């Protein structure tokens, strides 16, 4: 991918010279530096509100009204915590997420993580083209025209050999996504109800297995594993180094606010679309929401279809690029948007083949597109604990991050996030095996079991406040200049028997969850 920091940062909104961007040069210089750095965090978050995201949030609004808005508020710290960790990993190490896992934990555990990513990303990319197909259908464009055309646009935008031109194209699509603002304002939003449901948890109609599946899908589409791989590699590709971490953190926080605001808007729009109609509580797919909006006003239906189309393109670009970055990491190939097609042929070929393969799948007639979309988002939610565990291990690896390693409070917060994700997936598994059980009571029982199992370890972590050995005290300047030594000079991590057993159990648990999710999806598709 090249050595970060040896050349200027050049983004869609500006550039920072090699010897520029210092934080002590006044407010104007800081603002210009922020504009130049902004991109990876914003793009990963807007790409997160992709076709699957639009469909999932629309389903939440159509079936449950505003009552699931509180889930989005809780996801803001999850987004910020996860993505901030990959920002540090990218800026400090200059090495992609997939390669770090392979080199630090061995190829077996590398494929444990990256293999899931490749499968999930391909399925996610299929949902992006499902979104293109549904949006084009509503707009009167045959999918056999729209889907291939979208594939060509994605390939053309990415294979130009200039990072800043690719980022500018993404910013154009991000600007189009702002169409959600007038769409929401024209959808008679109930601001008081929205404010209440943002802070007061509840589920309209009560907690059921289907509601838990939808909550997992919301988590999976809002905090997807591909985001970790994409942002870390994109930070490296943009040549962001430790002295710019503060700016990239701001970029990430801004993106998290954008993604949650957009998700809330989509829920509110979908609620308005079906309010008081027989379609309320009976989601089919995103095109159904567009048709319901069209019943109010043709312009509203068109605006929603354009938002869906735009989200599909941004999501497809980010998901495919995340996969190609990981492909380059795993096979030690040149993989950078700064390089032309001849210099990074396998990188661009892998990107193009992924796009064309996913587009071809969507052109097969008869697939239950709505169920596929929800199932893929839920699968992302199920696999997220595994991705977060590897992220947490890397961010506590002092050989990798040195003075940038996680503080203890962040480890406790990340551990809590993993526990909640496991709780949701466990509830889904139990409700699938025993569909007649009370889901709310099951959730409480599993929460108690998790608390009993993990609580003592969390208490010990909070009480143990002594400084960790091996991290020397550094000045701000020294810390900003610290970089990970070459990977070849680092000894691979050796896991204890207990940690290895825990990872094997986690793997088995997630595989069982994925199989039961398939059962749940089939039931929904035939129900």
């Amino acid at each position: 991918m090249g050595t970060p920091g040896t050349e200027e940062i050049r983004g869609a909104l500006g550039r920072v010279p090699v010897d520029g961007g210092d934080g002590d040069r006044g407010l104007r210089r800081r603002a210009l530096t922020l504009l130049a750095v902004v991109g990876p965090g914003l793009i990963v978050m807007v790409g997160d509100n992709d076709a699957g995201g639009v469909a999932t949030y629309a389903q939440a609004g159509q079936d449950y009204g505003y009552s699931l808005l509180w889930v989005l508020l809780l996801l803001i710290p999850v987004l910020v915590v996860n993505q901030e960790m990959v920002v540090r990993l990218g800026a400090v190490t200059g090495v992609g997420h997939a390669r770090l896992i392979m080199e630090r934990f061995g190829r077996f555990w590398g494929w444990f993580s990256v293999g899931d990513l490749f499968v999930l990303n391909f399925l996610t990319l299929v949902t992006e083209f499902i979104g293109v197909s549904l949006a084009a259908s509503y707009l009167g464009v045959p999918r056999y025209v729209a889907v291939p055309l979208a594939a060509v646009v994605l390939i053309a935008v990415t294979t130009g050999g200039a990072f800043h031109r690719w980022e500018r194209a993404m910013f154009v699509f991000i600007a189009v996504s702002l169409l959600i603002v007038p769409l929401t304002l024209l959808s008679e939003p109930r601001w008081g109800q929205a404010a209440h449901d943002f802070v007061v948890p509840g589920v309209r109609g009560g907690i059921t297995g289907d509601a838990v599946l939808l909550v997992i899908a919301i988590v999976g589409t809002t905090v997807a594993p591909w985001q970790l791989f994409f942002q870390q590699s994109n930070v490296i590709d943009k040549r962001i180094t430790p002295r710019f971490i503060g700016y990239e953190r701001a970029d990430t926080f801004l993106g998290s606010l954008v993604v949650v605001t957009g998700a809330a808007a989509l829920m509110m729009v979908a609620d308005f679309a079906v309010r008081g109609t027989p379609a309320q509580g009976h989601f089919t797919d995103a095109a159904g929401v567009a048709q319901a909006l069209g019943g109010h006003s043709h312009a509203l239906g068109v605006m929603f279809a354009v938002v869906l189309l735009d989200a599909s393109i941004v999501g497809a670009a980010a998901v495919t690029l995340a996969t190609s970055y990981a492909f380059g990491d795993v096979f030690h190939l040149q993989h950078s948007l700064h390089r032309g097609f001849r210099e990074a042929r396998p990188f661009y070929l892998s990107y193009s083949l992924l796009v064309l393969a996913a587009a071809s799948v969507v052109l097969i007639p008869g697939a239950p597109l709505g169920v596929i979309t929800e199932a893929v988002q839920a699968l992302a939610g199920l696999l997220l604990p595994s991705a977060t565990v590897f992220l947490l291990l890397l961010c506590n690896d002092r050989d990798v991050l040195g003075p940038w390693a996680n503080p203890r409070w962040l480890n406790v917060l990340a551990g809590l996030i993993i526990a909640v994700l496991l709780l949701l997936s466990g509830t889904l598994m139990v409700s699938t095996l025993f569909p007649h059980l009370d889901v709310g009571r099951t959730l409480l029982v599993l929460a108690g079991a998790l608390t009993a199992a993990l609580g003592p370890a969390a208490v010990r972590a909070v009480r143990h406040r002594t400084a960790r050995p091996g991290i020397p005290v550094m000045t701000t300047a020294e810390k900003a200049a610290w970089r990970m030594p070459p990977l070849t000079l680092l000894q691979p991590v050796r896991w204890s028997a207990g940690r290895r057993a825990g990872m094997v159990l986690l793997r088995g648990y997630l595989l069982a969850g994925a199989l039961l999710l398939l059962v749940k999806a089939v039931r929904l598709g035939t129900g």
Side-chain angles (χ1 to χ4, degrees), residues 123-195:
L123 294 174
T124 303
L125 186 56
V126 170
T127 68
E128 310 300 357
F129 283 106
I130 289 174
V132 170
S133 174
L134 294 176
S137 175
Y138 183 83
L139 296 171
V141 180
R143 63 175 176 168
Y144 293 101
V145 173
V147 170
L149 182 60
V152 170
V153 168
L154 283 166
I155 293 171
V157 163
T158 305
T159 56
F163 184 96
H164 68 283
R165 284 201 292 268
W166 171 84
E167 194 171 76
R168 283 174 187 168
M170 292 300 101
F171 273 48
V172 169
F173 288 119
I174 289 172
V176 174
S177 72
L178 294 177
L179 195 61
I180 190 64
V181 175
L183 177 59
T184 304
L185 295 176
L186 293 171
S187 296
E188 301 178 9
R190 297 175 174 178
W191 298 114
Q193 184 69 40

Side-chain angles (χ1 to χ4, degrees), residues 1-49:
M1 186 176 286
T3 304
T6 57
E7 298 181 56
E8 67 176 5
I9 294 175
R10 187 177 182 188
L13 303 179
R15 63 175 68 186
V16 180
V18 177
D19 58 349
D22 292 334
D24 299 324
R25 296 191 179 183
L27 184 61
R28 181 175 180 275
R29 166 55 66 185
R30 293 187 182 189
L32 292 175
T33 302
L34 178 62
L35 285 174
V37 171
V38 161
L42 186 59
I43 292 170
V44 75
M45 297 298 184
V46 174
D48 189 36
N49 275 0

Side-chain angles (χ1 to χ4, degrees), residues 16 32 40 97 160 195 218 227 245 258 266 276 278 304-305 344 390 395 398 459 477 483-484 490 493-494 509 524 526:
V16 180
L32 292 175
H97 202 65
I218 292 172
Q227 296 172 242
I245 282 180
V258 169
L266 288 164
F304 185 86
F390 279 110
C395 285
R398 293 191 291 273
V459 170
R483 302 298 299 275
M484 181 188 74
L490 301 182
V493 173
R494 295 187 182 278
Y509 175 83
L524 288 175
T526 57

Side-chain angles (χ1 to χ4, degrees), residues 215-238:
V215 169
I216 294 177
I218 292 172
V219 173
T221 193
T222 309
V223 194
W226 67 262
Q227 296 172 242
L228 308 179
F229 291 81
F230 172 85
Q231 190 170 1
Q232 184 167 334
S233 291
N234 206 237
V235 162
I236 298 165
D237 211 1
K238 196 166 182 176

